[in-house]
Amino acid sequence: MAENIFLAFEEAVEKYGEKVCVKYLGASYSYKRVKELSEKFAKALKEHGLEPGGRVIIYLPNSLYWVISWLGVLRADGVAVPTSPIYVTKDIKYMANDSQATHIVCTDVNYGYVKEALLETNLKCVIVIRLDDLLPSWKRFVGWAFDRVPKGAFKEDEKTITLQRFLKTKNTQLPPPQRKDLDTAEILYTGGTTKFPKGVPISHGLYLIATKEHIEVRSPIFSEEENVVVGSAPLFHILGQTCALSTIFEGGKLIVMPKVNLDAIFDAIEREKAKTIIGVPQLYRMILQHQRLEYYDLSSLRYCFSGGDVLPLEIYNRWKLRIGVPLYQGYGATETCGGVLLARADEETPPSSVGKVVPSKEVRLVDPNTLEDVPPGQAGELLVHSEKMVRAYLNKPEETLEAFVEIDGKLWYRTGDVLTRDENGFFYFVDRTVDTIKHKGYRVSASEVEGVLQEHPAVMAACVVGIPDPKVGERIKAYVVLKEDVKGVLGHDLIKWCRERLASYKVPQYIEFRDMLPKSKVGKLLRREVRAQEKRKKEVAA
């Protein structure tokens, strides 16, 4: 097994050279072509001053350019720093300074944010990409004629260069990649649900093991070289990287979706006979509720993976009934490079389970206060250890001490998540430790209450938090977003719904209706922000 990500891709190129590797906006790019473009990008980075181990921010949406710039950075022995394309100036400043990045790849649409950040960072080279840069000329014309491609203003200068000019290299010779195994390949930033985002250094070896394990759990259904993956999950996030991007290391085809457009996703599945789709539970909810779902043939789907959040049983059941295949679940984190627990395609997994432990990981369930192992069947905080594990956050010694602990001579990552394990080795997500509500001496799972509320046919989204109360510890309050076409549903109706499905001590005492709920830039619900809003309201009232 290769110890370098680019060398692993090169092995796939040697085997599948002319086979389609990436499909983007209807244009196909072979394994050989993606390698050529990636190596050109690597040569250009070298010519523009990238040192070995130098950091390059990839500030792009899902696209062909994301794939070739990521592979190109690794081919140049650099370190990729993928970031969300919806970040703004302050985010770019923070990540550029924290990672000490010297180069950044961005779209013309986002160039304004980069320009504002230049004076306060060490960025010395900005590569600007138009989303139609490498498309066939006739496609670029159609995009221009019908104004289908977003455009942004920018001007080339001593620091700023277009992709087309950047790739006109002097044919610099690239030595073989030197970085391997435990050397850092990329730095992924957590979603920022607590304090500032934390940089997580992912090594070449850790990434390659994680992608291999994600592929192996679906291998009983089809060989990976037959796979066609619809990649709507963001590639700057570990879910998209390990579950979707992983297919290009084993001969599969990756259909890159620049943004979530359900009709485009349906069309891609039907046209390309896609076998795999990756998404968060909300994506599957949106698909099931889409008015034009019946117009498309999605029968080619064989492996549908849900990660990133708790999957409501209602969505699982509806998906299996409508599509005819189950939603496979998993559990992971940026710090663990994705999958710790995965449901295998050749094993009957309970609908509410997030699967079993993957071979490369070792886990423990412990009391979050004492770090002692909990008795079998009891809920506990999940700790994770692996041979090539992340051992520290970038430039965050205090957060590192909080999140990584040594027990019995091994380093463990504290996930902050509470899970249970049954007698057959299947795990079940219970809650975040910080989101457990203490009500009348009971510990109430915010996720459980949210799941029940989201099963109500009128509810689009829900957030549940504990409100401090001297008499009962915390009272349970739910913030609910109703579907657009719903009228006449009251808080009383939702509380009654919960009473019929939850133990009495878990039923919310208050329901507040909202137009939207705060989420992080990777789409995770920010209960922390909701609690902060509630606290500010009390302070104003006092």
Side-chain angles (χ1 to χ4, degrees), residues 290-462:
H290 196 275
Q291 294 177 340
R292 291 182 293 280
L293 177 61
E294 298 295 333
Y295 299 158
Y296 297 91
D297 178 9
L298 308 186
S299 61
S300 62
L301 287 175
R302 291 290 177 270
Y303 182 81
C304 308
F305 184 83
S306 176
D309 210 341
V310 179
L311 177 68
L313 186 59
E314 165 250 348
I315 296 178
Y316 176 94
N317 290 333
R318 287 174 60 198
W319 184 268
K320 192 170 183 181
L321 182 65
R322 171 62 183 82
I323 307 299
V325 294
L327 277 172
Y328 295 94
Q329 295 185 69
Y331 170 89
T334 305
E335 290 86 345
T336 62
C337 194
V340 176
L341 311 166
L342 293 173
R344 290 191 59 85
D346 58 351
E347 185 175 33
E348 189 70 29
T349 301
S352 299
S353 172
V354 290
K356 292 181 176 180
V357 185
V358 297
S360 70
K361 304 292 196 303
E362 186 178 339
V363 304
R364 300 173 76 153
L365 293 180
V366 302
D367 183 302
N369 298 314
T370 65
L371 297 184
E372 295 290 331
D373 291 338
V374 297
Q378 185 173 316
E381 181 182 355
L382 184 74
L383 306 188
V384 183
H385 167 82
S386 69
E387 181 187 349
K388 303 178 191 294
M389 69 182 288
V390 172
R391 307 188 74 83
Y393 292 119
L394 185 68
N395 306 323
K396 296 284 187 295
E398 291 182 9
E399 286 87 343
T400 295
L401 285 174
E402 291 174 3
F404 296 87
V405 295
E406 189 170 318
I407 303 174
D408 298 335
K410 290 182 179 178
L411 189 67
W412 299 82
Y413 167 62
R414 297 190 64 173
T415 65
D417 290 329
V418 177
L419 287 85
T420 59
R421 173 173 41 199
D422 67 18
E423 64 277 6
N424 296 315
F426 290 105
F427 284 76
Y428 303 82
F429 184 88
V430 177
D431 212 343
R432 289 279 300 172
T433 53
V434 294
D435 295 324
T436 300
I437 300 166
K438 297 175 182 177
H439 177 67
K440 293 184 177 179
Y442 294 101
R443 294 171 67 86
V444 179
S445 163
S447 294
E448 181 184 3
V449 183
E450 288 168 359
V452 169
L453 284 165
Q454 287 170 349
E455 288 172 7
H456 191 285
V459 174
M460 172 63 75

Side-chain angles (χ1 to χ4, degrees), residues 56-112:
V56 182
I57 295 176
I58 301 176
Y59 182 33
L60 299 172
N62 283 12
S63 58
L64 169 71
Y65 317 107
W66 195 102
V67 177
I68 64 171
S69 59
W70 185 76
L71 287 170
V73 171
L74 300 179
R75 178 63 184 89
D77 275 333
V79 175
V81 186
T83 61
S84 169
I86 67 170
Y87 282 159
V88 294
T89 302
K90 66 180 181 62
D91 303 303
I92 298 303
K93 283 182 188 176
Y94 170 76
M95 291 182 184
N97 289 326
D98 189 59
S99 67
Q100 288 299 293
T102 54
H103 295 60
I104 185 169
V105 193
C106 69
T107 62
D108 53 349
V109 176
N110 284 355
Y111 174 74

Side-chain angles (χ1 to χ4, degrees), residues 438-441 466-476 509-510 538:
K438 297 175 182 177
H439 177 67
K440 293 184 177 179
I467 307 298
D469 185 293
K471 294 181 179 179
V472 295
E474 290 179 304
R475 291 193 180 275
I476 304 169
Q509 285 83 47
Y510 313 100
K538 283 197 170 186

Side-chain angles (χ1 to χ4, degrees), residues 250-282:
E250 297 288 342
K253 182 197 296 187
L254 176 64
I255 304 172
V256 184
M257 312 296 292
K259 63 179 182 179
V260 176
N261 179 304
L262 294 186
D263 283 293
I265 290 173
F266 298 157
D267 184 67
I269 294 170
E270 184 173 341
R271 285 175 181 270
E272 300 294 328
K273 304 300 181 189
K275 296 180 183 296
T276 297
I277 184 171
I278 312 294
V280 295
Q282 184 61 19

